[in-house]
Amino acid sequence: MTNYTVLIANGEFPNNEYCNDILSNNPEIICVDTDQKLIEKLDIQPKIILGDLDTAKINKVNNNVRVIQLDNQNKTDLEKAFEFCLEEKINEIVVLGATGQADDHNLANILIANKYSKKLNIELISNYFRIMFINERKTIKAKKNMRVSMISLDTNNKISSSGLQYELNHESLDTFTKGISNKCMENEFTISAEKELILFTEIV
């Protein structure tokens, strides 16, 4: 993903080289109600802080940072951040800190990202996986023997692949476990799907 904006959410921040490489590329950063201690620990300068601001300590924010308070309690801060990106025409998004030890939040954030992936190119980074969302066709750079899993919320979703150990040829994932623990056999692989597909690629 190039020319991307990083959303830093208020979950567990991933601790891996892939995440560090993302931040080292000096992307534009939007903190989604992020704790000030994390901002200081990462030594980052966000362009924007937004959310209901019940976590962010805005009295400590640099004057050059745009602070946007969004009070809608019917949506999570991550939903409000995606809505903001749509309004600002920010289309390439990497989300750090959307997963962690709270399993309910993990699942909710993945499903929220899946919903907005129809209009935005979103990638979530956890400690272990890149989580992407396939809408039609995508080729992903990879490493040989890297673990690849996919989940479709629609059991009638027709999926095809190339470059994986267990290929799909216009097939449906009729159970939620059928697409789990596949393996990449090349330096890249391609997935196409008729409907939204959640893709997990191992960070190695």
Side-chain angles (χ1 to χ4, degrees):
M1 190 178 286
T2 58
N3 298 321
Y4 52 83
T5 294
V6 171
L7 301 185
I8 296 183
N10 203 23
E12 180 181 342
F13 197 81
N15 182 24
N16 53 56
E17 284 302 315
Y18 186 77
C19 173
N20 294 336
D21 288 344
I22 287 171
L23 291 178
S24 68
N25 285 329
N26 299 311
E28 289 193 344
I29 295 173
I30 298 176
C31 287
V32 185
D33 210 27
T34 309
D35 188 276
Q36 181 69 23
K37 290 181 181 178
L38 178 60
I39 295 174
E40 293 172 355
K41 179 181 177 181
L42 297 175
D43 193 24
I44 56 174
Q45 181 62 58
K47 180 180 180 181
I48 298 168
I49 293 178
L50 58 78
D52 57 23
L53 304 182
D54 57 356
T55 300
K57 307 299 183 185
I58 60 173
N59 60 312
K60 297 182 180 180
V61 172
N62 187 293
N63 290 334
N64 295 322
V65 178
R66 183 180 172 193
V67 177
I68 303 171
Q69 186 159 0
L70 303 171
D71 292 322
N72 185 351
Q73 296 302 313
N74 294 320
K75 292 185 177 181
T76 67
D77 283 330
L78 187 59
E79 287 177 280
K80 288 180 275 190
F82 287 145
E83 293 282 354
F84 174 83
C85 289
L86 284 171
E87 292 171 4
E88 297 289 317
K89 295 182 170 49
I90 300 170
N91 297 316
E92 303 290 328
I93 300 166
V94 176
V95 185
L96 308 177
T99 62
Q101 297 179 358
D103 292 334
D104 51 348
H105 288 190
N106 294 348
L107 181 57
N109 286 340
I110 291 170
L111 294 178
I112 287 167
N114 183 59
K115 171 187 171 183
Y116 282 93
S117 71
K118 297 175 184 178
K119 297 181 179 179
L120 300 169
N121 186 16
I122 300 170
E123 180 174 322
L124 306 183
I125 309 299
S126 75
N127 269 318
Y128 310 104
F129 287 97
R130 298 168 61 195
I131 305 169
M132 292 168 276
F133 306 89
I134 309 300
N135 292 276
E136 296 182 352
R137 179 183 175 90
K138 191 166 191 171
T139 297
I140 296 97
K141 298 293 183 183
K143 293 182 180 179
K144 190 172 182 180
N145 296 321
M146 185 182 74
R147 182 175 161 193
V148 176
S149 294
M150 60 191 87
I151 295 175
S152 175
L153 302 181
D154 189 325
T155 56
N156 293 317
N157 193 2
K158 300 299 183 184
I159 303 162
S160 297
S161 68
S162 62
L164 298 181
Q165 182 176 19
Y166 305 107
E167 300 285 26
L168 295 169
N169 184 16
H170 203 62
E171 298 175 55
S172 298
L173 301 177
D174 49 14
T175 70
F176 289 128
T177 58
K178 185 175 180 180
I180 299 298
S181 295
N182 208 327
K183 187 183 292 186
C184 177
M185 303 306 293
E186 308 292 341
N187 292 325
E188 66 178 29
F189 63 95
T190 299
I191 301 288
S192 60
E194 290 182 347
K195 302 174 184 178
E196 293 83 11
L197 181 70
I198 304 173
L199 179 71
F200 298 77
T201 63
E202 183 182 15
I203 295 175
V204 293

